[in-house]
Amino acid sequence: MPQPRILVVDDEERIRRLVRMYLERSGFEVVEAEDGAKAVEVALEQPFSLIILDLMLPGMDGRDVCSQIRQHSDVPIVMLTAAGDEMNRIHGFELGADDYVVKPFSPRELIMRVKALLKRTGESEYAKAEMHQALTFPGLVIHIDARRVEVDGSEISLTPKEFDLLVYMAQRPDKVFSREELLRDVWNYQFYGDQRTVDTHIKRLREKLGQASEPVSQYIVTVWGVGYKFEVAL
């Protein structure tokens, strides 16, 4: 079975060496990039299971790298940064990051985050034993085990977090979820004050589901003053 390949992007050699050591000890293959331009080049040339991306890079910063990669790939992205304020986290999620680790960080915690994200995205030996079923609605089919979504018979591309959010809500139709619940249960830990992260992902999901000839984006309904629900139209 091939090893999951991780791309580590950081301009500090010390950080790259430390992360590489812990990843390789955990059975991952590691490729390094020291700047944003190199990261984009490598990420688009080779298949990766996950990317660990520093936000503050010389030249092309992590935001631009994430944005460019997201135009071509839904590979899971974990952002590393010394900037732990709310707006930086929100901006990272808006660009398509799937997780966020603030420097200085525990290498063991980073490895746990990587493994947890790979489990949710079905990578190699870390894959979850998901239900072998599909959630089927008019104009929308969600293949849980394959992590694939079809709108009007055509596959659409979702990031790991967008897929997790859609499945979580679609498995509980008509249940109203607060933003706090979605942050806790979909993101698996509390992002204090980052409730706009949910709004951003809901907006992106609606846009992608809106590619259908019928407005399946209307499945995701805003419940004003409370949160969101997945509503099945009769």
Side-chain angles (χ1 to χ4, degrees):
M1 183 179 295
Q3 295 175 301
R5 181 187 292 127
I6 310 292
L7 175 61
V8 178
V9 186
D10 199 298
D11 61 321
E12 295 186 53
E13 183 180 359
R14 177 182 59 85
I15 297 294
R16 296 199 309 272
R17 189 167 59 245
L18 177 66
V19 174
R20 172 189 277 275
M21 180 179 68
Y22 275 84
L23 286 172
E24 289 181 339
R25 284 181 179 177
S26 298
F28 297 103
E29 179 184 346
V30 180
V31 176
E32 298 181 26
E34 68 278 1
D35 58 54
K38 182 65 174 179
V40 172
E41 177 185 350
V42 173
L44 300 184
E45 285 181 348
Q46 304 178 36
F48 287 96
S49 301
L50 182 141
I51 296 174
I52 298 174
L53 174 63
D54 185 30
L55 181 63
M56 304 303 291
L57 295 169
M60 182 188 299
D61 68 14
R63 298 180 186 88
D64 293 332
V65 173
C66 184
S67 179
Q68 289 201 29
I69 291 174
R70 275 290 172 259
Q71 294 177 31
H72 305 277
S73 171
D74 290 319
V75 60
I77 296 176
V78 177
M79 276 199 169
L80 291 179
T81 181
D85 63 278
E86 178 181 349
M87 290 310 300
N88 272 296
R89 292 197 300 272
I90 290 172
H91 196 189
F93 287 123
E94 287 176 341
L95 292 172
D98 298 288
D99 205 347
Y100 208 100
V101 178
V102 177
K103 295 179 179 179
F105 59 89
S106 161
R108 292 184 179 88
E109 179 186 355
L110 176 61
I111 299 303
M112 290 177 64
R113 296 278 188 91
V114 167
K115 290 181 177 180
L117 189 51
L118 290 180
K119 284 181 180 179
R120 295 198 296 274
T121 56
E123 283 291 342
S124 192
E125 69 266 33
Y126 298 108
K128 271 188 176 179
E130 296 283 3
M131 294 180 293
H132 292 282
Q133 68 174 43
L135 301 175
T136 304
F137 309 96
L140 174 66
V141 181
I142 306 169
H143 300 275
I144 296 178
D145 57 334
R147 297 187 65 87
R148 189 175 75 251
V149 177
E150 295 177 2
V151 171
D152 279 354
S154 298
E155 185 174 350
I156 63 170
S157 179
L158 300 181
T159 68
K161 271 293 182 288
E162 290 166 357
F163 181 87
D164 292 343
L165 180 60
L166 177 61
V167 170
Y168 184 80
M169 297 179 68
Q171 287 179 325
R172 304 159 181 82
D174 295 323
K175 174 176 171 53
V176 179
F177 297 97
S178 68
R179 292 170 177 82
E180 293 88 348
E181 287 179 285
L182 294 173
L183 282 170
R184 182 192 66 220
D185 296 339
V186 177
W187 276 259
N188 292 316
Y189 56 98
Q190 185 69 46
F191 290 99
Y192 293 105
D194 281 0
Q195 296 180 25
R196 282 177 50 191
T197 297
V198 174
D199 298 335
T200 297
H201 280 73
I202 291 290
K203 178 182 177 182
R204 291 162 66 105
L205 260 179
R206 283 173 167 162
E207 290 173 351
K208 292 181 177 182
L209 294 176
Q211 298 172 19
S213 57
E214 296 296 327
V216 300
S217 58
Q218 293 182 8
Y219 277 127
I220 302 177
V221 177
T222 300
V223 181
W224 297 108
V226 183
Y228 300 98
K229 69 175 179 176
F230 186 92
E231 184 175 84
V232 181
L234 300 177

